[in-house]
Amino acid sequence: EDQVTQSPEALRLQEGESSSLNCSYTVSGLRGLFWYRQDPGKGPEFLFTLYSAGEEKEKERLKATLTKKESFLHITAPKPEDSATYLCAVQDSLYNFNKFYFGSGTKLNVKP
Amino acid sequence: EAQVTQNPRYLITVTGKKLTVTCSQNMNHEYMSWYRQDPGLGLRQIYYSMNVEVTDKGDVPEGYKVSRKEKRNFPLILESPSPNQTSLYFCASSSIKAGSSYNEQFFGPGTRLTVL
């Protein structure tokens, strides 16, 4: 069964304290891995898509990387406005490629 | 402005009273989907549609119906709501790349449903 697990569930950082969020997945084949940011009371907002192991994408203080079994979202020198819940989702490539599987998210709190 | 809209945003209803949550997108996307979000469980896919008149079940379809008669609209129907359908619901849409890959999903603002 396809599964997506995110860790940690919650992360508290001081402003400027870099860290990484993890998304591990078990799918029959990966067609795409997506990272989203979700603010309280709002719908998820797209950040990155990764398609193959070794791929990296960057946007401001965020960098996403992908291996064959997991993805990391690295946050460099975070600011309070980076506080949000970060979600990852995978698209299977073999049996259910029209379905998406989401992790339960990492809630990030950046203190000034 | 490119967007996905949902209505209503908040709804309190009683067990068994049929309801419809509407979803509309203005980006001409082929793919549309409904999710429910519950604490600790993340987003779970209810139904999805690859195009007009083409729909299929996600992981938690029981108690829900959908239809896709127009490309822009994808309503979610609860024929006989029950308290375990109390949740936060999101509609999303996406365009399809070559090779059955998808571009990113655009999400609506959410509908918070309470079934008493």
Side-chain angles (χ1 to χ4, degrees):
Chain A
E1 183 177 311
D2 296 336
Q3 279 197 335
V4 181
T5 303
Q6 291 188 246
S7 62
E9 288 185 17
L11 181 61
R12 176 179 285 188
L13 299 173
Q14 285 296 128
E15 184 172 1
E17 180 186 2
S18 302
S19 188
S20 298
L21 314 182
N22 177 264
C23 172
S24 63
Y25 60 90
T26 54
V27 293
S28 50
L30 183 69
R31 190 170 289 269
L33 185 142
F34 303 81
W35 281 98
Y36 293 87
R37 169 192 170 125
Q38 186 175 24
D39 293 301
K42 295 190 174 181
E45 189 177 307
F46 172 73
L47 292 172
F48 303 108
T49 309
L50 302 166
Y51 293 105
S52 57
E55 191 174 359
E56 298 182 352
K57 294 266 180 80
E58 272 188 81
K59 180 180 179 180
E60 295 181 0
R61 295 177 293 282
L62 300 177
K63 179 180 177 180
T65 62
L66 181 64
T67 71
K68 287 188 177 179
K69 292 295 181 187
E70 58 191 349
S71 177
F72 292 93
L73 184 65
H74 307 278
I75 303 177
T76 302
K79 298 181 177 182
E81 53 261 42
D82 294 322
S83 297
T85 296
Y86 291 85
L87 304 171
C88 76
V90 299
Q91 182 192 5
D92 196 349
S93 67
L94 291 180
Y95 301 113
N96 301 306
F97 56 84
N98 291 311
K99 294 172 72 171
F100 290 86
Y101 301 91
F102 278 79
S104 53
T106 293
K107 187 173 184 179
L108 174 65
N109 187 4
V110 182
K111 294 289 190 181
Chain B
E1 180 191 354
Q3 61 182 347
V4 177
T5 57
Q6 295 178 228
N7 282 292
R9 294 289 313 280
Y10 303 91
L11 179 60
I12 300 175
T13 189
V14 296
T15 299
K17 186 176 181 182
K18 181 180 178 180
L19 66 92
T20 300
V21 184
T22 64
C23 173
S24 183
Q25 50 96 2
N26 62 1
M27 295 166 279
N28 201 37
H29 285 167
E30 300 89 351
Y31 186 89
M32 296 186 75
S33 182
W34 277 102
Y35 297 88
R36 60 178 290 173
Q37 187 172 38
D38 302 289
L41 296 178
L43 281 162
R44 292 180 293 167
Q45 197 167 25
I46 303 171
Y47 270 95
Y48 59 90
S49 168
M50 287 78 73
N51 216 322
V52 175
E53 303 290 3
V54 182
T55 64
D56 207 348
K57 297 176 181 179
D59 281 339
V60 288
E62 296 78 18
Y64 304 95
K65 284 177 57 177
V66 292
S67 67
R68 187 97 180 268
K69 292 183 169 44
E70 304 167 283
K71 196 171 186 179
R72 64 183 294 128
N73 297 324
F74 190 45
L76 179 70
I77 302 158
L78 285 71
E79 295 263 359
S80 183
S82 62
N84 64 11
Q85 293 178 297
T86 293
S87 188
L88 180 58
Y89 291 86
F90 288 102
C91 179
S93 73
S94 172
S95 55
I96 300 176
K97 293 160 65 86
S100 300
S101 291
Y102 289 91
N103 288 313
E104 69 275 19
Q105 293 184 72
F106 289 79
F107 284 82
T111 295
R112 186 166 291 282
L113 172 66
T114 302
V115 183
L116 302 174

